[in-house]
Amino acid sequence: MIQTTKRIRITIPADAEFIDVVRLSLYGLATRMGFSFEEIEDMKVAVSEACNNVILHAYTQPDEGEIELTFTPHVDRLVISVRDQGTSFNFEQTVKGVEPLHDKEIHELKAGGLGIYMMQALMDEVVVHSGAGTEVILTKLLSHQGGKTHASEANHLSGDIHG
Amino acid sequence: MIQTTKRIRITIPADAEFIDVVRLSLYGLATRMGFSFEEIEDMKVAVSEACNNVILHAYTQPDEGEIELTFTPHVDRLVISVRDQGTSFNFEQTVKGVEPLHDKEIHELKAGGLGIYMMQALMDEVVVHSGAGTEVILTKLLSHQGGKTHASEANHLSGDIHG
Amino acid sequence: MTNPNLFHIHHEETDTGTTLYLIGQLDLSMAVHFRSVVEPLAMNADKTLTLNLRDLRYIDSTGLGILVAILKVREEVGQTLIVEDVTPKVQRLLDLTGISKFLRPVPDQTAEQKGGAV
Amino acid sequence: MTNPNLFHIHHEETDTGTTLYLIGQLDLSMAVHFRSVVEPLAMNADKTLTLNLRDLRYIDSTGLGILVAILKVREEVGQTLIVEDVTPKVQRLLDLTGISKFLRPVPDQTAEQKGGAV
Ligand SMILES: Nc1ncnc2c1ncn2[C@@H]1O[C@H](COP(=O)(O)OP(=O)(O)O)[C@@H](O)[C@H]1O
Ligand SMILES: Nc1ncnc2c1ncn2[C@@H]1O[C@H](COP(=O)(O)OP(=O)(O)O)[C@@H](O)[C@H]1O
């Protein structure tokens, strides 16, 4: 029903107050595509992590820049791009240091550094382009084992009569 | 908390499937601004009417164009612009014919023509620019008689401890 | 676990009447579907037609326009349209547009509180 | 009638301990506020500190990072952090990041089903 060439673009100020609007939009699109609630939660967190990073790391002046998001629904996946025009960073270098806390002792813990790890753990693909600013491209596949849920979602989409 | 110069821009395909995403974004922004649920419902309907009109009337080719929305939060109001690049129309002329069904008999009823009437009834101000396409600018004031609700909303916004 | 906003229709049929429960958001994306379901039922003069709006979370001029069209069809076949369990949110739009006065409320439930539809 | 997503904290104090109910979405916009509330409590070694997450609808690395910071503070003052009524959604993120193993579940409620936190 939602075709592959169409997309939604959302631009928000690089301000944490606006990230919830992005999550709500994502929720609206993803339910219509037939994603399960768990998949949608995964995407909400991953996209928020990308936005958090723009707000925390991309712009030197607080409340200056913008975050540009593009949601492109495909038949079998949702591709989400999160772009900023801020200072860039070396993703390959950074990603090497990225790790969860499973093997740590409590005194070794640091409070930060979980964002990129979570994006990678929650999405099927994470690609980062850094140059004039940063573009993070997050991809989530529509799972096929979830076919039952999706069929019933699709019913609601096409509005079939129940009962 | 949400400052006056900031704004959210959302571009969707001129396709009814995507309007719910706009309503969800609006809900997210408007609750944070402290609008009451009734005011938010009013805005959801009004913005949807503007989007419906783009989809139904602006573009000759179905599924061709886009709808560009801008949400600009001010201290005392939310201003929403809904723009298309489609065929324009004479708003002043059209608005004269706009009326609700209160004084009609059942056989006089027509199924259409309620959209502009509802926008005007539900918003505090409706301005339409027509030229290369159409821009509908919808304004809703943060009501002051609703101060009690807003104060408690604002508490949640600033995250005050309850209890 | 489904998105409560996605529109669907629950259909209940008795010997004397049909009740459609409209669930979720009735907007432009669902208008064609809704119309295709309700119009044939509206043309049947032998049965009452009731729309239960308890779980209708959203409606705009698209859905209201279909209600108007259905009202006219019911009038033509010498019947009425019963609309029940209207939430305040939806009632407000029915009042605003003037559609309320054409709807026959269910006597026992809504007549007194809503007051005075024909 | 409030947006259930807007974050706030409900605070319960007894002679022996403090329980904070985290309600709504804990994201970057609420991180500073949450930290300012929870950190002073974490430094108090004389009282237990419990976070009730029953109504926590969303958390991301921002909130999880504060949990980690609080864990460290509790460790330093020779205490633990009790986290109770964790929903599956939040549990998943605690497991994914490896934070689970540092949290002490409430014995009677979550010990068996969640299994094996220290
Ligand atoms: N959009 C961005 N612009 C600039 N730097 C970034 C961006 N995203 C991530 N980074 C860099 O990558 C690092 C790791 O990010 P992350 O894993 O999310 O953890 P954290 O944000 O807690 O440091 C950041 O500290 C930052 O230096
Ligand atoms: N964005 C637009 N582009 C072109 N024409 C428009 C647009 N919006 C409204 N119109 C014109 O105004 C008329 C009245 O609109 P409205 O009151 O919403 O009722 P309806 O859409 O049911 O006709 C439409 O029929 C159309 O001719």
Side-chain angles (χ1 to χ4, degrees), chain A residues 110-125:
Chain A
K110 290 182 297 136
L114 288 170
I116 291 174
Y117 170 76
M118 286 173 76
M119 281 187 241
Q120 291 184 323
L122 296 169
M123 301 297 288
D124 290 301
E125 189 181 83

Side-chain angles (χ1 to χ4, degrees), chain B residues 49-59 82-91 94-95 97-99 110-119 128-130 133-136, chain C residues 61-62 65:
Chain B
E49 297 300 349
C51 292
N52 289 348
N53 279 345
V54 175
I55 295 166
L56 294 172
H57 307 299
Y59 296 110
V82 183
R83 291 207 302 158
D84 66 66
Q85 317 284 338
T87 53
S88 60
F89 74 112
N90 188 325
F91 178 68
T94 307
V95 84
V98 151
E99 51 177 358
K110 290 181 296 132
L114 289 171
I116 290 173
Y117 170 75
M118 287 174 76
M119 280 186 243
V128 175
H129 300 299
S130 221
T134 300
E135 176 174 22
V136 177
Chain C
S61 70
T62 325

Side-chain angles (χ1 to χ4, degrees), chain B residues 2-6 29 33 35 71-80 139-140 142:
Chain B
I2 288 176
Q3 289 166 34
T4 62
T5 51
K6 300 188 166 181
L29 178 62
M33 288 181 66
F35 280 103
F71 298 88
T72 312
H74 297 268
V75 185
D76 62 340
R77 72 190 62 204
L78 176 58
V79 179
I80 305 161
T139 300
K140 188 81 171 177
L142 268 160

Side-chain angles (χ1 to χ4, degrees), chain B residues 91 116 119-121 123-128 136-139:
Chain B
F91 178 68
I116 290 173
M119 280 186 243
Q120 291 183 324
M123 301 297 289
D124 290 301
E125 189 182 83
V126 179
V127 174
V128 175
V136 177
I137 302 168
L138 305 166
T139 300

Side-chain angles (χ1 to χ4, degrees), chain A residues 49-50 52-59 82 84 86-91 94 98 111-119 130 133-136, chain D residues 61:
Chain A
E49 297 299 351
N52 290 347
N53 279 344
V54 175
I55 295 165
L56 295 171
H57 307 300
Y59 297 109
V82 183
D84 66 66
T87 53
S88 61
F89 74 113
N90 189 325
F91 178 69
T94 307
V98 152
L114 288 170
I116 291 174
Y117 170 76
M118 286 173 76
M119 281 187 241
S130 221
T134 300
E135 178 176 21
V136 177
Chain D
S61 70

